[in-house]
Amino acid sequence: MNKKNESVRETAARIKGDSFTMAALSGEARNKALADIRLALRQGRDRILAANQADMEAAAAQKLPEPIIKRLKFDDQKIDDVCAGIESLIGLPDPLFQVLLRRELDQGLVLTKLTCPIGVIGVIFESRPDALVQIASLCLKSGNCAILKGGSEAAGTNQVLFDIIHAAGTAAGVPGGFLTLLHSREDVGQLLKCHESIDLLIPRGSNAFVRHIMDNSEIPVMGHADGVCHTYVDAGAELEKAVPVVLDAKTQYVAACNATETLLVHKDAAPAFLPALAKGAAERSVALRGCPRTGALISCEAATEADWDTEYLDYILSVKVVDSLDEAVAHINRHGSHHTDCILTEDDAAAERFLLLVDSAGVYQNCSTRFADGFRYGLGAEVGISTGKLHARGPVGLEGLVTYKYQLRGCGQIVAD
């Protein structure tokens, strides 16, 4: 945690020192700390709920948008969920010290490539208190130190969660720098300048915010700006299967980055599918914005060009009728955010073409885009989702939080020989 009168730069430098101790902790030590944190969260349930209730009331008084308030809520179910996530994480294999390659270059000269932590990771995330628990536990399991800055709307809940996790972790023998919580926007500005101490930044927020981070720091950045996800209903889709999947992808949790924002429908499927969809959307209070061909089949607001590039995070779905699978793919690759996109079809050849050609971190057939989640992938939750192609892609779990080093052991060899 920040020490009194210590600047962010000084804090980061101190944490960098602790990161070397963290990197040497055994898997047993890290798992024990996680188990103690899980127990402490359960024991601190009343403190957590009280802090979150205060944050929720403050958010309502400020008339914050409904999607933000949905993300902010941290109730009994969320506590149970994060504790289950930690339990799952404990059961996963240790990601560190795994030998990726061993080769004898010469007699008695052995090269080994093995996994190791990245070091110090700065994560700036939105108003989701459960993200703090997920990030802290993933970084601990992978031997990294984490510097966190959450949304101001969740400040009270985040502080209580941090206090509980930090106390339990350090009591279990983990160095104090394993977790640090920043509090102000000014802290974030200073954090971006700590390239000598911080190894990776993971921003989670709006497109403008992520771009600001990328443009104002020399520290490598991993993550995604938008979640403009698509579901494409192909000519070979099964109506009874397709409608529930689309409604789940849109409404199961509208404030998530993996919720479907644009629906593409093949012209041959549209006459039967769109009326059924409109009925289900009305029952779930989803507002539809459609192209002219959509508007000819169902009642909807006219979509604009901007709609195809918009992440609503709300009960709004843009709909476009397309002539072919290839047109759908072209639309997704142009307007999507390379996050998660799905085809609904019983035509396996069409599905294979879609899965091959769509340039996204997650490409699905016949299932909700809401499955794009580290916990559902069995990764032990996630620190975020990366839409880039270097180092890590898709939900970033343990494997995305480790790197590797080469170790060469010899017995006096010299290159001149």
Side-chain angles (χ1 to χ4, degrees), residues 143-156:
N144 292 288
C145 290
I147 302 177
L148 309 182
K149 172 62 175 75
S152 58
E153 303 85 0

Side-chain angles (χ1 to χ4, degrees), residues 40 82 132 154 190 195 211 256 334 346 363 377 403:
V82 296
L132 185 148
Q190 293 183 51
H195 57 271
R211 290 294 171 198
R334 176 184 175 188
E346 303 306 309
V363 194
Y377 278 13
T403 183

Side-chain angles (χ1 to χ4, degrees), residues 302-371:
T304 67
E305 275 302 307
D307 283 306
W308 311 130
D309 300 306
T310 299
E311 181 183 26
Y312 300 113
L313 301 175
D314 204 349
Y315 288 89
I316 303 170
L317 181 66
S318 56
V319 186
K320 183 176 184 179
V321 176
V322 296
D323 289 326
S324 66
L325 181 148
D326 286 347
E327 184 183 344
V329 169
H331 180 100
I332 291 169
N333 286 341
R334 176 184 175 188
H335 295 282
S337 57
H338 311 291
H339 189 300
T340 304
D341 302 287
C342 174
I343 181 174
L344 302 180
T345 188
E346 303 306 309
D347 182 341
D348 288 339
E352 286 304 314
R353 183 168 179 80
F354 184 91
L355 297 175
L356 179 66
L357 294 179
V358 169
D359 184 25
S360 296
V363 194
Y364 297 177
Q365 177 189 6
N366 290 341
C367 55
S368 170
T369 57
R370 285 283 291 121
F371 279 105

Side-chain angles (χ1 to χ4, degrees), residues 68 71-72 74 121-136 146-155 157-159 161-162 165 179-183 188 191 201-206 209-210 213 224 382-385:
I68 291 179
R71 290 185 179 211
L72 178 59
F74 197 73
I121 300 175
V123 187
I124 309 161
F125 58 98
E126 71 283 18
S127 306
R128 284 180 52 193
D130 50 326
L132 185 148
V133 183
Q134 293 172 358
I135 294 163
I147 302 177
L148 309 182
K149 172 62 175 75
S152 58
E153 303 85 0
T157 312
N158 285 341
Q159 186 64 58
L161 289 171
F162 169 79
I165 293 170
L179 191 65
T180 299
L181 183 65
L182 302 181
H183 298 92
V188 174
L191 186 75
L201 286 175
I202 303 177
R204 294 168 49 153
S206 69
F209 173 71
V210 175
I213 299 296
H224 75 280
E382 65 188 36
V383 294
I385 290 183

Side-chain angles (χ1 to χ4, degrees), residues 127-348:
S127 306
R128 284 180 52 193
D130 50 326
L132 185 148
V133 183
Q134 293 172 358
I135 294 163
S137 55
L138 279 166
C139 286
L140 174 53
K141 175 80 175 188
S142 57
N144 292 288
C145 290
I147 302 177
L148 309 182
K149 172 62 175 75
S152 58
E153 303 85 0
T157 312
N158 285 341
Q159 186 64 58
V160 171
L161 289 171
F162 169 79
D163 290 342
I164 291 171
I165 293 170
H166 192 269
T170 52
V174 177
F178 89 96
L179 191 65
T180 299
L181 183 65
L182 302 181
H183 298 92
S184 70
R185 293 193 176 203
E186 291 73 21
D187 287 344
V188 174
Q190 293 183 51
L191 186 75
L192 301 185
K193 300 174 183 177
C194 297
H195 57 271
E196 68 281 354
S197 301
I198 298 175
D199 300 288
L200 180 68
L201 286 175
I202 303 177
R204 294 168 49 153
S206 69
N207 190 312
F209 173 71
V210 175
R211 290 294 171 198
H212 172 78
I213 299 296
M214 292 177 173
D215 293 342
N216 289 276
S217 182
E218 297 178 33
I219 304 169
V221 177
M222 179 172 69
H224 75 280
D226 285 330
V228 182
C229 300
H230 298 77
T231 297
Y232 165 57
V233 181
D234 186 52
E238 184 179 299
L239 185 66
E240 283 112 11
K241 183 186 296 182
V243 172
V245 170
V246 172
L247 292 175
D248 181 87
K250 177 69 257 182
T251 67
Q252 196 273 331
Y253 185 43
V254 295
C257 61
N258 56 15
T260 287
E261 304 291 19
T262 296
L263 175 68
L264 304 174
V265 185
H266 192 283
K267 63 179 182 179
D268 294 342
F273 175 80
L274 286 178
L277 172 75
K279 182 175 182 294
E283 292 170 354
R284 289 171 167 79
S285 302
V286 177
L288 301 178
R289 298 180 182 177
C291 68
R293 296 166 79 179
T294 300
L297 294 169
I298 59 173
S299 176
C300 63
E301 183 181 335
T304 67
E305 275 302 307
D307 283 306
W308 311 130
D309 300 306
T310 299
E311 181 183 26
Y312 300 113
L313 301 175
D314 204 349
Y315 288 89
I316 303 170
L317 181 66
S318 56
V319 186
K320 183 176 184 179
V321 176
V322 296
D323 289 326
S324 66
L325 181 148
D326 286 347
E327 184 183 344
V329 169
H331 180 100
I332 291 169
N333 286 341
R334 176 184 175 188
H335 295 282
S337 57
H338 311 291
H339 189 300
T340 304
D341 302 287
C342 174
I343 181 174
L344 302 180
T345 188
E346 303 306 309
D347 182 341
D348 288 339

